[in-house]
């Protein structure tokens, strides 16, 4: 059974700092990996999706890397801002048969950026 | 609307009652997912619908949980004889295609917060 672990569970940084969130998964036979952002009382917003054949994806101040063989991904946030404060979730996609692709989520890292 | 919508946003019910949660996916999205997020836990997959195929029910925690998707669009998640451990946020997501197009992301609704007293 696929397990996804995110470290740290919570992180507090001053505004302007660069930071790294970590994600690890136990089954390397993934189809893709996604990083989501969740704000309180709201749904999830997809930030970056990395295909299993890719090593990294970038969007603005965000950069996500994937090392499938070691079962690890990192989300790098440059020049953090208070508006980045949210819970960041890592999820891996696995084929579960009959055309079904399931996402398995980590428990998330709660990020607080202090002005 | 442009996104996934869910109703109600909040539901408080008494133990033993049945509840229905509704999800309106993005128009044209053929794949629909239900997840549950309990306090301090990660999102837990419940059920997946893809077009007219039989749904993947492998994540449903018990036979008290069921879901339907009518006309390939709106979906209803039903929980019968609710228990306190059913209290959670129930999230719905839709995806443009459910097959081998790995690049399609899931778009999530805001969720329904269910509280069972």
């Amino acid at each position: 059974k696929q397990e996804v672990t995110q470290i740290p569970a919570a992180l507090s940084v001053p505004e302007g700092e660069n930071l790294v969130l970590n994600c690890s998964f136990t089954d390397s036979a993934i189809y893709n990996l996604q990083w989501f952002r969740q704000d309180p009382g709201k749904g999830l917003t997809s930030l970056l999706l990395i295909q299993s054949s890719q090593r990294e994806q970038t969007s603005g101040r965000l950069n996500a890397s994937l090392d499938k063989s070691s079962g690890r991904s990192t989300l790098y946030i440059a020049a953090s801002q208070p508006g980045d404060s949210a819970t960041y979730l890592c999820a891996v996609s696995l084929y579960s048969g009959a055309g079904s692709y399931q996402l398995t989520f980590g428990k998330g890292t709660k990020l607080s950026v202090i002005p | 609307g442009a996104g996934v919508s869910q109703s109600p946003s909040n539901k408080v019910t008494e133990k033993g009652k049945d509840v229905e949660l509704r999800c309106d996916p993005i128009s044209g999205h053929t794949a629909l997912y239900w997840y549950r997020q309990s306090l301090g836990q990660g999102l837990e997959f419940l059920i997946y619908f893809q077009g007219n195929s039989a749904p993947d029910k492998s994540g449903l925690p018990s036979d008290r949980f069921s879901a339907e998707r009518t006309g390939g669009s709106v979906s209803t998640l039903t929980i019968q004889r609710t228990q306190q451990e059913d209290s959670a946020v129930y999230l719905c997501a839709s995806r443009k295609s459910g097959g081998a197009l790995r690049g399609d992301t899931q778009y999530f609704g805001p969720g329904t917060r269910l509280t069972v007293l």
Side-chain angles (χ1 to χ4, degrees):
Chain A
K1 178 184 176 184
Q2 177 75 269
E3 292 184 0
V4 180
T5 303
Q6 291 187 246
I7 295 173
L11 180 64
S12 183
V13 300
E15 182 178 2
E17 272 204 5
N18 303 325
L19 59 102
V20 175
L21 307 181
N22 296 291
C23 172
S24 62
F25 46 94
T26 54
D27 186 345
S28 62
I30 64 170
Y31 276 84
N32 60 47
L33 181 145
Q34 287 187 262
W35 283 92
F36 291 88
R37 169 184 174 139
Q38 186 174 30
D39 293 278
K42 297 185 179 180
L44 278 67
T45 301
S46 179
L47 298 173
L48 290 165
L49 183 150
I50 311 176
Q51 305 275 22
S52 60
S53 58
Q54 297 176 324
R55 300 278 302 178
E56 67 176 344
Q57 283 285 339
T58 298
S59 176
R61 294 181 295 108
L62 305 180
N63 176 276
S65 68
L66 173 64
D67 184 342
K68 201 172 87 164
S69 61
S70 67
R72 296 180 187 277
S73 176
T74 61
L75 178 66
Y76 175 82
I77 302 177
S80 58
Q81 302 171 358
D84 295 332
S85 298
T87 296
Y88 290 81
L89 297 169
C90 169
V92 297
S93 176
L94 286 175
Y95 181 65
S96 57
S100 175
Y101 292 82
Q102 290 186 20
L103 284 178
T104 301
F105 286 83
K107 294 183 179 180
T109 293
K110 185 174 182 179
L111 174 64
S112 298
V113 181
I114 311 302
Chain B
V4 178
S5 60
Q6 293 186 246
S7 61
S9 55
N10 282 284
K11 176 73 176 177
V12 179
T13 190
E14 294 180 349
K15 177 181 174 181
K17 301 282 189 181
D18 298 350
V19 295
E20 285 189 352
L21 312 179
R22 177 188 169 104
C23 172
D24 285 84
I26 294 173
S27 178
H29 281 195
T30 59
L32 187 147
Y33 302 77
W34 282 99
Y35 296 88
R36 177 170 71 174
Q37 187 174 33
S38 303
L39 188 64
Q41 301 297 316
L43 271 77
E44 173 189 12
F45 166 79
L46 296 177
I47 189 169
Y48 160 69
F49 295 90
Q50 170 54 40
N52 295 320
S53 302
D56 178 353
K57 304 179 181 180
S58 60
L60 295 178
S62 78
D63 58 7
R64 296 187 295 105
F65 288 72
S66 63
E68 292 184 341
R69 189 178 185 192
T70 55
S73 180
V74 172
S75 177
T76 301
L77 177 68
T78 301
I79 308 174
Q80 295 178 311
R81 305 181 302 281
T82 52
Q83 303 295 313
Q84 289 183 331
E85 60 263 30
D86 299 334
S87 296
V89 176
Y90 289 82
L91 291 162
C92 173
S94 70
R95 193 159 81 115
K96 187 174 181 181
S97 65
L101 294 180
R102 308 168 187 175
D104 289 351
T105 191
Q106 294 184 22
Y107 296 86
F108 283 78
T112 294
R113 181 174 296 278
L114 174 67
T115 303
V116 181
L117 302 177

